[in-house]
């Protein structure tokens, strides 16, 4: 294949924006977008809430500066302040640009883009399209990419970077439709593969494919991961699937009830009760469960979100989507029964270490979106800032790669280079005596992470987690692929995704053990306070001799001094 | 083989999934495999398939991603109806089985088979491209990102429902025309075309419309309503199709391309939607040809303004519809002959 100027891995919001911007920057470039699912299926479509931008359509006194401050404070001061400047200053422009190319934003009375309040924001600046913001943004971007004739390789599964010395020569990927392992020689590669929170498996709100593939590929190529330990949990995930029951249920007056029938939030947030901030409610539910006041089931322990007292009429008129969802996914009608819930892993703040232009430490390799860590979210992402992140930094990465592609030699990937990836796969497909089931391993990984590297962390738990992950990695060597077919081998794909999750899980656990403080979403029982002296810095994890090796990186400060984070 | 999904819970029932199998590498033709599992209340069809894949048969192939009814990956036919596996409850499906206790699972129709429950989505993407299913913005490039278009709530309402579409292709699989002619534009693509056409930011409305009225386009639809009935997001697809037709007649007139065919289809509209009958009254006094050329475009404007006709079951046939039907048939004949004559010239 003729070398590409840019190969973009991922067709979510970040990847598509990168593609559009790269084409705009230099229309002569030869660009490809690879995605393991059709781009419009990407997880960006799941974002309901909206995207933040200080348009000041709703609150006339809103400003970019206030958005910057809210973001830095929300991050518990772990975000890099120069990066946050870029994020928030670019926000109004990018939201308007999306509007200009067809995103169907909801509207205010004066016909401007509608905005609403969102957690952690001092002004109502979250731009939305009903409850389908991410979906409509993704549709718009996909439509525009079709319009511009972006070259898509849909249902291609990225396997590895082809690295020689310290240089990337391009990407190696499997065509799912044929099973063929193909070379994508390229001057530059942009990773935009989304988050890794699915490693918590049934304890995650994420799509099945949010397995951190891009991060794992970059990690294996020697590129450092940043702040991997920092994972955001949402308080109300469905017990069986981890899917989100949105805040609306509590907003309308739902109760959280333990097995003794208590409205236990009275113990943790006497005034706000169920409406306390996300992390506090998550920790409270987890405490109830840990102290034995949860309900029991083979699918794990849980507590009740009870809406029955609101009455059938209110539930039907105000919470129809929540009812539909609990009926569809849990078979529970909230009019008649309480909803079984527990906290669920929701967002990965950590990711591939990049600078403010999307560059990684490896020449010609870039990353953007949830798979990257710039860092604009620090230790805690604000609702509505993630869509913004993928758009702003997706665009920047696309622009940078387009400008810099000329600096790099066109890569070439030989048959020899491909062979390694092919052989890895072939080996998996050989029959062997004793074997492990990938499904079981995947579930066990989720369980150990939720238990030992979950909401509450502590040295002995983390050691246990690290040991479990190591054992799972050992057992993974015996996992076999039973489907021997070349055509759409989803069995093989899921096994490879598990491998990626296992590689990254180690970095999450190792980072969590290293960070001896509590900051944002990272809570250590044995180090309950924020420790700015020792830990006001990013953690890094680099693969050295097959092991996650910890490192660190300073936080870039700016106009805002460290303060206690209170709301 | 009986396996258990979840050992707890009030109820469990034995369920057999009769699943369509086809691997082009080894099978000369498709066949069905039966998998019997014990499924508890609350389990979805997708979770059952996942369970079968993990515990019983790893070769069973299907697509799934979000597992939450938002990505559109898991469209398949369950008990003969195209829908999302991830939002379908097994126990509900048990009530719909043709053979008790056996849930049939098959791939979507009218798209090329790839393997088992996986079909090729590329034809749908190609059609989105052919019919320019995007907003071609009237904002000059240099102005992009600097200011907003001002858009009224009323305009937003016109495409709000249409933008719910997740391209799951359930409607594609149910469409009666597509089964006969895979080149047909497809309900989802008509819906998206409509959504673009009513967007005031878009500048290629006329080009899109010109494409839509060509062969295999909007006039081929038979109004069977199956797309709308099967839409997983309950989108009133037929309203979009009607709106495109009304728009085409208004902007391009009834003599456009294969004029007679258009008028016929339009009359079928009227026949079914008895409420629109007033619009055709002048025919009686002025004759068919005159009406078609002079008054229909105006009548169309009136209809367009009303915008959202009530959904099908609510549209009551107007009184005396029988008489009008007879009249329309007559009118069709007239138009056909008129058309033939103009061709001969
Ligand atoms: C339930 C839910 C609700 C949310 N709500 C909000 C909200 O209201 N506001 C907000 O700001 N954020 C929200 N978020 C977060 C936000 O949606 C995500 O962070 C964001 O969409 C990620 O976008 P992305 O482009 O980085 O990745 P994704 O959209 O996840 O796209 C990743 C892409 O990479 C591709 N890919 C992955 N691996 C491979 C591989 N091996 N080979 C080839 N391609 C690959 C995939 O096919 C996909 O196209 C929410 C998240 C969840 C889970
Ligand atoms: S109404 Fe038209 S588009 Fe819809 S299924 Fe019938 S023929 Fe197809
Ligand atoms: S119109 Fe409805 S059924 Fe058809 S693709 Fe869209 S969401 Fe699916
Ligand atoms: S898996 Fe996404 S819609 Fe069913």
């Amino acid at each position: 294949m003729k070398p590409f100027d840019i190969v973009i891995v991922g067709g979510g919001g970040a990847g598509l924006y990168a593609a559009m911007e790269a084409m705009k920057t230099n229309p002569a470039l030869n660009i490809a977008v690879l995605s393991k699912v059709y781009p419009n299926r990407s997880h960006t479509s799941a974002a309901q809430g909206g995207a933040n931008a200080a348009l000041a359509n709703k609150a006339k006194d809103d400003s970019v500066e206030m958005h910057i401050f809210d973001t830095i404070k929300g991050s518990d001061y772990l975000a890099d302040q120069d990066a946050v400047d870029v994020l928030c200053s670019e926000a109004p422009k990018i939201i308007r640009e999306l509007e200009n190319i067809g995103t169907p934003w909801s509207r205010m009375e004066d016909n401007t883009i509608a905005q609403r309040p969102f957690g952690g924001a001092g002004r109502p600046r979250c731009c939305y399209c009903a409850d389908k913001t991410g979906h409509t943004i993704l549709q718009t971007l996909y439509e525009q990419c079709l319009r511009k004739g972006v070259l898509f390789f849909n249902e291609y599964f990225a396997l590895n970077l082809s690295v020689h010395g310290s240089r990337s020569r391009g990407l190696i990927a499997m065509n799912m439709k044929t099973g063929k392992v193909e070379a994508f020689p390229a001057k530059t590669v942009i990773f935009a593969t989304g988050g890794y929170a699915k490693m918590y498996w049934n304890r995650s709100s994420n799509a099945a494919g949010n397995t951190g593939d891009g991060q794992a590929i970059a990690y294996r190529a020697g590129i450092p991961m940043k702040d991997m330990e920092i994972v955001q949990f949402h308080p109300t995930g469905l017990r069986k699937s981890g899917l989100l029951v949105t805040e609306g249920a509590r907003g309308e007056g739902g109760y959280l009830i333990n097995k003794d029938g208590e409205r236990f939030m009275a113990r943790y947030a006497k005034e706000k009760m169920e409406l306390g901030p996300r992390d506090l409610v998550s920790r409270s539910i987890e405490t109830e469960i840990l102290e034995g006041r949860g309900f029991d089931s083979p699918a794990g322990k849980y507590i009740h979100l009870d809406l029955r007292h609101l009455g059938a009429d209110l539930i039907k008129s105000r919470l129809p989507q929540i009812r539909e969802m609990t009926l569809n996914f849990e078979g529970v009608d909230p009019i008649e029964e309480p909803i079984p819930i527990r906290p669920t892993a929701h967002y990965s703040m950590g990711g591939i270490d990049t600078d403010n232009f999307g560059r990684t430490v490896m020449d010609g390799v870039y990353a953007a979106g949830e798979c990257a860590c710039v860092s604009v979210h620090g230790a805690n992402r604000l609702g509505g800032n993630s869509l913004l992140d993928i758009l702003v930094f997706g665009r920047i990465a696309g622009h940078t790669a387009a400008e810099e592609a000329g600096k790099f030699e066109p890569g070439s990937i030989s048959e020899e280079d491909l062979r390694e990836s092919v052989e890895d796969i072939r080996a998996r497909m050989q029959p062997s005596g004793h074997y492990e089931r990938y499904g079981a391993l995947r579930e066990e990984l989720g369980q150990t992470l939720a238990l030992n590297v979950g909401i509450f962390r502590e040295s002995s738990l983390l050691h246990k987690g690290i040991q479990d992950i190591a054992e799972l990695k050992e057992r993974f060597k015996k996992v076999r692929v039973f489907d021997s077919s070349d055509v759409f081998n989803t069995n093989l794909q899921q096994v490879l995704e598990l491998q990626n999750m296992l590689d990254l899980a180690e970095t999450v656990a190792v980072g969590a053990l290293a960070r001896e403080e509590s900051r944002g979403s990272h809570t250590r029982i044995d180090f309950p306070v924020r420790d700015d002296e020792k830990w006001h810095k990013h953690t890094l994890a680099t693969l050295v001799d097959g092991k996650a090796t910890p490192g660190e990186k300073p936080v870039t400060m700016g106009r805002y001094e460290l303060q206690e984070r209170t709301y | 083989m009986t396996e258990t999904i979840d050992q707890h819970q009030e109820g469990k029932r034995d369920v057999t999934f009769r699943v369509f199998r086809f691997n082009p590498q080894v099978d000369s033709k498709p066949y069905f495999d039966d998998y019997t599992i014990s499924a508890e209340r609350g389990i979805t069809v997708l979770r059952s398939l996942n369970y079968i894949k993990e515990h019983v048969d790893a070769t069973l192939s299907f697509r799934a991603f979000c597992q939450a009814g938002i990505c559109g990956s898991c469209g398949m036919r369950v008990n003969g109806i195209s829908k999302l596996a991830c939002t379908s409850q097994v126990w509900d499906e048990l009530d719909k089985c043709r053979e008790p206790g056996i849930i049939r699972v098959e791939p979507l129709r009218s798209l090329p088979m790839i393997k088992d429950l996986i079909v090729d989505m590329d034809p749908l993407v190609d059609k989105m491209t052919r019919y320019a299913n995007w907003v071609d913005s009237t904002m000059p490039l240099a102005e992009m990102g600097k200011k907003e278009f001002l858009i009224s709530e009323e305009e937003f309402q016109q495409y709000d429902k249409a933008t719910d579409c997740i391209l799951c292709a359930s409607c594609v699989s149910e469409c009666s025309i597509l089964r006969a002619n895979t080149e047909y534009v497809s309900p989802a693509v008509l819906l998206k075309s409509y959504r673009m056409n009513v967007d005031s930011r878009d500048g290629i409305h006329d080009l899109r419309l010109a494409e839509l009225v060509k062969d295999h386009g909007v006039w081929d639809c038979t109004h069977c309503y199956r797309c709308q009935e099967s839409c997983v997001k309950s989108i009133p697809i037929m309203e979009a199709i009607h709106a495109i037709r009304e728009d085409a007649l208004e902007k391009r007139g009834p003599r456009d391309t294969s004029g007679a065919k258009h008028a016929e289809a339009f009359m079928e509209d009227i026949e079914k939607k008895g409420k629109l009958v007033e619009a055709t009254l002048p025919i009686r006094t002025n004759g068919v040809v005159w009406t078609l050329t002079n008054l229909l475009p105006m009548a169309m404007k009136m209809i367009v303004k009303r915008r959202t006709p009530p959904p099908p079951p609510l549209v009551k046939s107007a009184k005396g519809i029988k008489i009008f039907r007879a009249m329309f048939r007559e009118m069709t004949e007239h138009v056909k002959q008129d058309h033939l004559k103009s061709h001969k010239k």
Side-chain angles (χ1 to χ4, degrees):
Chain A
M1 200 180 284
K2 183 168 156 263
F4 289 97
D5 293 295
I6 306 176
V7 166
I8 298 170
V9 195
L16 296 184
Y17 227 117
M20 269 179 33
E21 188 66 20
M23 280 187 107
K24 197 159 117 192
T25 307
N26 184 351
L29 295 181
N30 184 9
I31 301 169
V33 177
L34 262 82
S35 179
K36 67 179 175 182
V37 295
Y38 279 87
N40 53 302
R41 315 265 186 242
S42 305
H43 201 57
T44 295
S45 61
Q48 300 185 323
N52 298 333
L55 295 174
N57 287 352
K58 177 126 187 164
K60 299 295 169 206
D61 65 342
D62 195 13
S63 66
V64 168
E65 201 51 45
M66 288 170 91
H67 187 185
I68 293 174
F69 176 71
D70 288 342
T71 302
I72 292 169
K73 180 180 168 191
S75 81
D76 219 348
Y77 296 87
L78 196 65
D80 292 306
Q81 298 196 7
D82 53 347
V84 176
D85 272 359
V86 176
L87 179 82
C88 303
S89 328
E90 287 291 307
K93 182 166 174 253
I94 208 137
I95 296 296
R96 285 191 199 111
E97 197 170 293
L98 275 174
E99 194 275 345
N100 294 167
I101 57 175
T103 304
W105 297 106
S106 292
R107 296 285 164 167
M108 311 257 301
E109 263 170 20
D110 66 357
N111 298 348
T112 55
I113 297 171
Q115 298 189 285
R116 65 181 161 208
F118 228 49
R123 293 288 181 278
R125 70 171 74 94
C126 187
C127 310
Y128 62 95
C129 168
D131 59 355
K132 53 181 172 185
T133 315
H135 164 76
T136 54
I137 290 178
L138 189 64
Q139 294 288 333
T140 306
L141 291 173
Y142 186 45
E143 288 153 15
Q144 293 301 316
C145 284
L146 291 179
R147 175 165 92 91
K148 299 236 170 106
V150 170
L151 181 59
F152 282 109
F153 291 85
N154 293 333
E155 308 200 305
Y156 272 69
F157 184 80
L159 297 168
N160 283 307
L161 268 178
S162 171
V163 181
H164 283 247
S166 61
R167 266 282 296 140
S168 150
R169 294 191 174 184
L171 192 84
I172 297 171
M174 179 171 59
N175 180 348
M176 290 302 293
K177 277 184 194 154
T178 61
K180 217 173 150 264
V181 173
E182 298 178 19
F184 289 81
K187 295 180 186 172
T188 64
V189 175
I190 304 177
F191 286 105
T193 53
Y196 55 79
K198 195 61 189 177
M199 66 169 67
Y200 289 77
W201 203 242
N202 285 336
R203 302 288 308 269
S204 167
S205 66
N206 285 198
N210 280 14
T211 47
D213 299 350
Q215 296 89 319
I217 292 171
Y219 178 63
R220 284 197 293 266
I223 297 172
M225 302 291 114
K226 184 158 76 192
D227 293 337
M228 290 297 281
E229 66 278 13
I230 302 180
V231 178
Q232 188 173 64
F233 292 84
H234 193 287
T236 52
L238 288 180
R239 167 196 49 184
K240 280 184 200 147
S241 54
L243 295 176
L244 274 204
V245 181
T246 56
E247 245 117 77
R250 279 171 293 135
E252 291 293 343
Y255 294 157
L256 292 171
I257 308 277
N258 64 18
K259 95 169 187 271
D260 304 329
E262 281 177 289
R263 254 183 97 189
F264 58 84
M265 280 311 295
R267 259 199 293 284
Y268 309 93
K270 218 173 169 53
E271 291 205 344
K272 291 211 144 178
M273 295 294 284
E274 281 84 359
L275 297 176
R278 261 187 207 180
D279 53 344
L280 175 72
V281 180
S282 292
R283 285 197 285 269
S284 309
I285 296 174
E286 197 71 2
T287 306
E288 290 298 304
I289 290 174
L290 288 176
E291 293 180 356
R293 292 187 292 278
F295 298 87
D296 231 331
S297 83
K301 296 192 166 64
Y302 62 96
I303 61 117
H304 279 156
L305 172 59
D306 198 346
L307 307 181
R308 288 174 301 178
H309 60 282
L310 301 175
D313 288 347
L314 189 138
I315 293 175
K316 280 187 191 154
S317 64
R318 306 280 279 279
L319 301 167
Q321 272 128 351
I322 286 174
R323 176 160 180 249
E324 195 185 311
M325 139 149 208
T326 55
L327 278 170
N328 282 345
F329 302 112
E330 196 85 21
V332 165
D333 186 347
I335 294 176
E336 276 149 27
E337 281 173 88
I339 309 168
I341 60 108
R342 59 183 171 181
T344 186
H346 185 49
Y347 182 83
S348 37
M349 262 78 73
I352 303 171
D353 177 29
T354 71
D355 68 10
N356 293 352
F357 296 91
R359 302 184 192 104
T360 69
V361 297
M362 189 177 281
D363 277 352
V365 179
Y366 306 78
E370 194 174 334
C371 82
C373 178
V374 183
S375 145
V376 289
H377 308 301
N380 178 50
R381 162 190 81 104
L382 293 188
N385 263 0
S386 171
L387 283 178
L388 182 61
D389 169 17
I390 67 172
L391 301 169
V392 169
F393 288 97
R395 182 166 73 181
I396 291 175
H399 183 78
T400 316
E403 298 252 285
E404 295 182 353
K407 288 203 320 206
F408 304 114
E409 290 293 306
S412 84
I413 300 175
S414 64
E415 284 298 316
E416 195 63 32
D417 296 328
L418 282 183
R419 199 160 304 146
E420 208 175 310
S421 294
V422 175
E423 267 160 19
D424 273 359
I425 291 172
R426 290 277 160 250
R428 286 269 160 225
M429 294 168 83
Q430 295 308 316
S432 71
H434 174 75
Y435 63 85
E436 293 279 352
R437 284 192 307 113
Y438 74 98
L441 258 61
R442 200 162 65 176
E443 235 156 75
E444 284 177 48
L445 175 65
Q447 271 163 19
T448 186
L449 285 171
L451 209 64
N452 301 310
V453 198
I455 295 178
F456 290 115
R457 298 162 172 191
E458 191 257 325
S459 166
S460 62
L461 292 176
L462 290 166
H463 280 293
K464 171 82 170 74
I466 292 172
Q467 192 192 333
D468 284 356
I469 294 165
E471 278 168 24
L472 287 169
K473 280 178 117 168
E474 216 25 61
R475 285 168 58 196
F476 179 77
K477 292 182 181 153
K478 295 218 177 73
V479 165
R480 236 194 90 190
V481 176
F482 285 92
D483 190 344
S484 56
S485 118
D486 294 324
V487 180
F488 231 100
N489 195 333
T490 49
N491 183 193
L492 172 61
Q493 179 180 339
Q494 291 177 1
V495 167
L496 295 172
E497 288 172 337
L498 173 60
Q499 179 171 28
N500 290 337
M501 291 194 287
L502 283 167
D503 284 348
L504 291 184
E506 187 187 350
T507 67
V508 175
V510 166
L513 183 64
R515 190 178 282 283
E516 295 186 331
E517 64 160 354
S518 292
R519 184 187 295 271
S521 306
H522 171 71
T523 308
R524 286 283 299 255
I525 307 172
D526 41 356
F527 298 94
V529 289
R530 198 173 88 187
D531 184 349
D532 288 330
E533 209 161 299
K534 284 209 197 101
W535 283 103
H536 186 239
K537 59 189 175 198
H538 302 293
T539 63
L540 295 179
T542 314
L543 187 69
V544 181
D545 299 332
K547 279 214 120 18
T549 310
E552 54 185 63
K553 197 175 173 179
V555 174
T556 309
M557 293 298 278
R559 295 186 291 286
Y560 298 100
E561 293 297 317
L562 283 162
Q563 282 176 39
E564 203 186 331
R565 175 173 166 249
T566 51
Y567 284 104
Chain B
M1 188 183 341
T2 300
E3 300 263 353
T4 309
I5 279 196
D6 219 342
Q7 304 295 331
H8 93 302
Q9 272 249 349
E10 38 296 285
K12 271 185 287 177
R13 290 162 77 173
D14 278 351
V15 187
T16 300
F17 288 87
R18 183 160 291 168
V19 188
F20 180 99
R21 302 299 308 272
F22 176 66
N23 177 355
Q25 273 187 303
V26 287
D27 302 325
S28 55
K29 61 175 201 282
Y31 60 97
F32 284 86
D33 264 335
D34 279 4
Y35 304 100
T36 302
I37 61 173
S38 169
E40 56 161 21
R41 189 175 73 103
I43 283 297
T44 60
V45 172
L46 180 62
R47 280 177 69 88
S48 306
L49 293 177
N50 277 332
Y51 180 84
I52 293 167
K53 187 170 179 68
E54 277 177 37
H55 296 262
V56 189
D57 183 354
T59 67
L60 178 63
S61 305
F62 49 92
R63 288 196 189 95
F65 197 63
C66 71
Q67 316 186 53
I70 31 186
C71 76
S73 298
C74 67
M76 53 184 79
R77 277 185 306 143
V78 182
N79 282 330
I81 307 288
S82 308
K83 51 171 75 170
L84 301 176
C86 71
T87 59
S88 301
Q89 284 283 319
V90 170
W91 281 33
D92 293 348
E93 288 302 329
L94 283 174
D95 297 336
K96 299 173 195 158
C97 299
R98 243 177 296 162
E99 288 169 74
I102 300 179
I103 298 178
R104 279 175 85 90
V105 185
E106 295 157 281
L108 297 178
R109 294 180 297 208
S110 298
L111 289 163
M113 273 196 283
I114 293 182
K115 183 188 182 187
D116 294 352
L117 302 171
I118 300 172
V119 295
D120 193 352
M121 290 286 166
D122 283 350
L124 193 60
V125 178
D126 292 344
K127 284 175 188 166
M128 285 164 58
T129 309
R130 164 162 178 203
Y131 293 96
N133 280 185
W134 47 71
V135 166
D136 198 324
S137 182
T138 53
M139 184 72 76
L141 212 57
E143 298 296 307
M144 285 273 180
K146 293 192 181 140
K147 59 173 198 269
E148 299 173 25
F149 284 103
L150 295 180
I151 288 175
S152 66
E153 180 64 21
E154 292 80 68
E155 180 179 328
F156 173 74
Q157 287 302 334
Q158 277 183 53
Y159 46 71
D160 182 18
K161 264 319 266 182
T163 58
D164 284 355
C165 173
I166 57 173
L167 294 171
C168 68
S170 291
C171 57
V172 170
S173 165
E174 292 294 320
C175 174
S176 40
I177 288 295
L178 271 169
R179 294 192 66 196
N181 171 19
T182 49
E183 280 186 65
Y184 172 56
V185 46
S186 302
V189 175
L190 284 174
L191 178 72
K192 264 183 113 63
S193 304
Y194 158 81
R195 173 255 174 276
M196 302 304 162
N197 270 352
V198 293
D199 195 315
S200 62
R201 294 169 288 192
D202 172 66
I204 54 164
H205 167 279
D206 293 351
L207 285 175
R208 197 179 294 113
L209 201 58
E211 198 61 31
L212 284 165
V213 298
K214 287 187 185 157
D215 284 356
H216 318 303
V218 66
W219 296 107
D220 281 15
C221 166
T222 61
H223 286 65
C224 69
Y225 277 95
R226 296 186 58 156
C227 52
Q228 176 157 325
E229 281 157 13
S230 65
C231 175
V232 303
K233 292 282 164 190
S234 311
I235 304 169
I237 305 174
M238 288 307 302
E239 281 180 23
I241 297 177
H242 280 302
I244 296 176
R245 287 183 166 191
E246 286 162 2
D247 192 17
L249 276 169
E250 183 192 10
K251 298 261 166 45
R252 306 177 61 90
R255 283 172 181 279
D256 177 49
T257 43
S258 44
K261 198 169 138 205
H262 298 186
E264 250 179 294
F266 172 66
M267 275 179 272
E268 218 179 289
D269 274 25
I270 298 174
E271 218 178 339
K272 290 196 175 145
K273 279 160 96 190
K275 273 199 175 168
L276 300 184
V277 150
E278 315 91 86
T280 62
L281 282 176
I283 296 169
R284 267 194 280 190
T285 43
N286 296 307
V288 174
V289 178
W290 185 89
T291 307
L292 279 178
T293 41
N294 296 293
L295 282 187
L296 273 183
M298 195 187 73
M300 286 299 88
K301 264 184 211 132
M302 284 159 43
I303 297 161
V304 171
K305 276 201 192 108
R306 257 187 277 148
R307 275 301 168 195
T308 37
L314 294 178
V315 176
K316 291 195 195 74
S317 293
K319 268 190 206 147
I321 188 82
K322 263 192 196 155
I323 305 167
F324 284 114
R325 278 205 183 122
M327 214 182 72
F328 289 138
R329 245 168 264 137
E330 194 192 29
M331 182 164 124
T332 317
E333 271 319 301
H334 274 291
V335 176
K336 263 189 195 152
Q337 298 199 346
D338 189 48
H339 186 64
L340 280 175
K341 265 184 234 152
S342 67
H343 263 264
K344 277 182 193 142
K345 267 183 221 163

